[in-house]
Amino acid sequence: MTLLVDIQAQNWMNNQQVLEILPDIPRGKIRFYPELGNPSDILMLACDRLRPGLAGELPNLQLVQKMGAGVETMVNDPGLHPDVRLARIKAEEVALEMARFCIGYVLNDVQNVTFFRLNQEQCRWQQKSPANVRKVKVGVLGLGQIGGTVARMFRTLGFPVVGWSRTPKQIEGVDCRHGDAELEKVLGLSDYVMCILPSTRETGNLFDLDRFRQMKPGAMLVNVGRGSLISERDLVVALDSGYLDHAVLDVFRNEPLAQDDPLWRHGKVTVTPHVSGWHLEGGLSVVQENYVRLTRGQPLLNQVSRKSGY
Ligand code: NDP
């Protein structure tokens, strides 16, 4: 069984680094794009992006292993036969760093960090109480590998947490809700909303003007999931109308964000360039593990449902 590796992003991994994470796969069983050799040998493709047309050249392809987290561009790729399975990377370190990202922006607000910095510029001694976090509710949309970690870490810091997912979940100390009807309630309760959902048919444009109207006035939205979850035009209207107070955006519909995009200059928007989850390396062992499992006919790790899209 041959594995084809196709890494396109220049700042990700080079072929030598890929070999280092695959020590147990015989070198003769690994090929690097564009050296396909006999395409019939290739049963597994490990890639960061699905190159247009490539899957169609591999008649016996059984598994595409994404070397990253988001699979929205792959699940519905018309060039990928419906029987081909898809798996992704889940890295514990990424979940932790995304939790730190979310917590950082919430604590900045709760601890009045900007307020005191501006006062210091004026040498102004003015006390202001930090928020009582026990009365500040954090909503976490998406309770998967990352959202679950985010919810637990906010809980550990003393915040009441309400979570939302598609199917029922149980996380100790977290008020877990699920299903479409509950989202409005979760938004109405939450002072801070962390959006950690995948991009699917159901989650596209989840946040439009009607949804922003359901948020607790003065709330902050942090989106680290995907840009497609939010109507960016409606977000600007919602911020200008006061439906929410601030948005921290790490992901966008079009990345990189265009220089003339109004989000850059909006006073109530914080823009970061898709950096909240970075260190995927710890999850890369799944590539070798799934190669072995595919060879042995065992269930794969981190398999994506092509039907639900995540
Ligand atoms: P998981 O697949 O583990 O979890 C996804 C969660 O979203 C699950 O709780 C799932 O519900 C929920 N969900 C999916 N669809 C719906 C829906 N229609 N309604 C309600 N809940 C829904 O993914 P991860 O936690 O690992 O990652 C989440 C996303 O984070 C990724 O898909 C990716 O887009 C993004 N990401 C961003 C990064 C960045 O740097 N900004 C880095 C890494 C990931 P259920 O539990 O019921 O299945």
Side-chain angles (χ1 to χ4, degrees):
M1 182 184 113
T2 296
L3 165 68
L4 176 67
V5 178
D6 181 17
I7 305 297
Q8 296 173 57
Q10 287 179 349
N11 62 352
W12 185 207
M13 300 186 89
N14 60 39
N15 292 352
Q16 184 53 40
Q17 289 165 322
V18 171
L19 285 178
E20 286 164 18
I21 60 158
L22 305 172
D24 298 338
I25 304 180
R27 181 63 190 85
K29 296 288 183 189
I30 305 174
R31 291 181 199 152
F32 289 96
Y33 185 91
E35 289 163 26
L36 301 190
N38 178 358
S40 305
D41 301 340
I42 297 167
L43 269 63
M44 176 171 169
L45 168 65
C47 58
D48 56 345
R49 268 173 244 162
L50 196 52
R51 198 179 286 271
L54 177 58
E57 290 180 48
L58 310 174
N60 295 321
L61 184 65
Q62 292 181 14
L63 169 64
V64 175
Q65 172 68 57
K66 161 105 187 202
M67 305 273 276
V71 287
E72 64 275 9
T73 57
M74 291 186 179
V75 276
N76 297 316
D77 189 309
L80 200 58
H81 191 279
D83 291 343
V84 175
R85 288 183 285 171
L86 190 53
R88 50 165 285 202
I89 283 176
K90 293 193 178 195
E92 192 185 348
E93 186 52 36
V94 167
L96 290 170
E97 58 194 0
M98 287 175 72
R100 289 191 286 263
F101 181 97
C102 294
I103 289 167
Y105 282 99
V106 171
L107 289 185
N108 183 69
D109 207 41
V110 163
Q111 300 293 144
N112 305 313
V113 170
T114 306
F115 176 83
F116 291 127
R117 186 178 54 75
L118 293 174
N119 274 356
Q120 185 175 351
E121 282 170 17
Q122 309 295 322
C123 303
R124 187 187 295 137
W125 181 275
Q126 187 184 353
Q127 292 186 322
K128 185 177 180 186
S129 136
N132 179 352
V133 300
R134 307 223 173 260
K135 296 185 177 166
V136 172
K137 191 159 299 239
V138 176
V140 179
L141 311 186
L143 294 173
Q145 196 243 352
I146 298 168
T149 300
V150 172
R152 276 184 283 271
M153 286 182 71
F154 271 110
R155 191 74 202 98
T156 304
L157 290 175
F159 291 87
V161 179
V162 55
W164 184 71
S165 54
R166 193 170 60 85
T167 58
K169 287 269 164 315
Q170 278 195 326
I171 301 176
E172 200 182 336
V174 175
D175 175 7
C176 293
R177 316 280 185 101
H178 69 278
D180 293 346
E182 286 296 308
L183 180 56
E184 179 172 359
K185 296 179 198 159
V186 171
L187 294 178
L189 289 169
S190 304
D191 300 281
Y192 297 93
V193 176
M194 308 298 117
C195 199
I196 313 159
L197 293 161
S199 171
T200 68
R201 265 191 292 271
E202 279 77 36
T203 61
N205 271 333
L206 185 70
F207 279 89
D208 58 9
L209 200 53
D210 288 339
R211 196 65 80 186
F212 288 122
R213 281 202 190 98
Q214 296 169 356
M215 292 182 74
K216 195 169 169 180
M220 177 198 276
L221 175 71
V222 179
N223 185 21
V224 291
R226 279 294 180 264
S228 63
L229 305 171
I230 290 181
S231 160
E232 292 170 351
R233 200 188 47 199
D234 285 4
L235 172 65
V236 171
V237 175
L239 286 164
D240 292 342
S241 310
Y243 299 143
L244 72 160
D245 202 47
H246 198 93
V248 177
L249 306 176
D250 185 50
V251 284
F252 301 86
R253 281 178 181 270
N254 297 307
E255 297 182 5
L257 191 61
Q259 280 221 317
D260 60 354
D261 196 296
L263 291 173
W264 282 114
R265 288 167 200 84
H266 199 290
K268 294 181 171 179
V269 175
T270 298
V271 170
T272 59
H274 203 142
V275 290
S276 60
W278 195 268
H279 292 99
L280 278 165
E281 300 88 324
L284 287 172
S285 56
V286 75
V287 182
Q288 178 167 286
E289 180 63 29
N290 274 345
Y291 176 91
V292 171
R293 285 168 177 253
L294 190 66
T295 317
R296 295 182 182 157
Q298 294 169 337
L300 301 171
L301 296 181
N302 306 349
Q303 186 169 344
V304 169
S305 157
R306 291 192 60 191
K307 186 161 170 272
S308 60
Y310 70 98

